[in-house]
Amino acid sequence: AQSVAQPEDQVNVAEGNPLTVKCTYSVSGNPYLFWYVQYPNRGLQFLLKYITGDNLVKGSYGFEAEFNKSQTSFHLKKPSALVSDSALYFCAVRDIRTGGFKTIFGAGTRLFVKA
Amino acid sequence: GAVVSQHPSWVICKSGTSVKIECRSLDFQATTMFWYRQFPKQSLMLMATSNEGSKATYEQGVEKDKFLINHASLTLSTLTVTSAHPEDSSFYICSANQQRGTGRSYEQYFGPGTRLTVT
């Protein structure tokens, strides 16, 4: 079955420091991987995706993610964290085996950036 | 980018009543929409896949008679929570797939969510 795991419930980082939010995946076939961010009482905002091509994917708001096939990981990174980056982050995999292309989400990681 | 709206953004209802939530794709046609629910501090759980012109496909454990889904047009899907109870209180999020090109490539766009509180 398609799944993603986010091993950390929470990540704390000081403003200006680099941040990493971890994600590992388990898929049949080629993975379609995504990162989304959610602010309180808001829907999801798309950050970036990996479908094919370069392993380093650049996305919105200075975020990037590195696809690592051997480690089945897709960690989200940012070189310098901002307080405004504090939010809930979801890694997701799209199940393309079915015609409807369902998206399956990880449990989420809450990022706290301290000033 | 494409926009998906939800209405209402929040609703409070009494136990035993029914509540309808609308999901609209504003500037594209969506043959497939999805409904998710999210409990506080938890992930999004897929409830059902809504297909225009046909019956919705429900995930295991989701009561289809309680969560009625109608996808009457290419831009509108509705979720009706029937005989709502306090345990149905949650954040409901819809998403819509926009086909890209003529292949099987899709982009998925999410609505802003609807917070339902059942008293």
Side-chain angles (χ1 to χ4, degrees), chain A residues 36 38 42-44 105, chain B residues 3-8 21-26 28 30 32-38 44-48 50 69 71 75-79 91-97 108-114:
Chain A
Y36 292 90
Q38 185 182 35
R42 302 285 296 275
L44 297 183
F105 290 86
Chain B
V3 177
V4 175
S5 70
Q6 283 184 241
H7 178 80
I21 303 170
E22 294 185 348
C23 176
R24 293 182 184 272
S25 55
L26 296 186
F28 67 98
T32 304
M33 292 183 171
F34 302 91
W35 287 97
Y36 295 83
R37 68 184 299 182
Q38 183 182 29
L44 281 72
M45 300 302 296
L46 180 64
M47 299 175 66
S50 172
I69 291 172
H71 195 152
T75 60
L76 173 64
S77 175
T78 60
L79 168 68
F91 195 52
Y92 292 87
I93 301 174
C94 75
S95 71
N97 279 2
Q108 186 174 23
Y109 299 96
F110 288 84
T114 296

Side-chain angles (χ1 to χ4, degrees), chain B residues 22-108:
Chain B
E22 294 185 348
C23 176
R24 293 182 184 272
S25 55
L26 296 186
D27 48 3
F28 67 98
Q29 293 182 331
T31 55
T32 304
M33 292 183 171
F34 302 91
W35 287 97
Y36 295 83
R37 68 184 299 182
Q38 183 182 29
F39 292 105
K41 299 183 180 180
Q42 293 190 27
S43 186
L44 281 72
M45 300 302 296
L46 180 64
M47 299 175 66
T49 302
S50 172
N51 300 298
E52 187 270 335
S54 65
K55 291 183 179 180
T57 303
Y58 290 82
E59 295 299 301
Q60 191 172 8
V62 178
E63 298 176 62
K64 59 182 67 176
D65 293 331
K66 180 167 186 63
F67 298 100
L68 299 179
I69 291 172
N70 184 281
H71 195 152
S73 77
L74 287 171
T75 60
L76 173 64
S77 175
T78 60
L79 168 68
T80 301
V81 183
T82 63
S83 186
H85 290 284
E87 57 265 31
D88 298 324
S89 299
S90 190
F91 195 52
Y92 292 87
I93 301 174
C94 75
S95 71
N97 279 2
Q98 180 186 35
Q99 187 170 3
R100 311 291 280 181
T102 56
R104 301 185 68 191
S105 175
Y106 289 81
E107 290 292 345
Q108 186 174 23

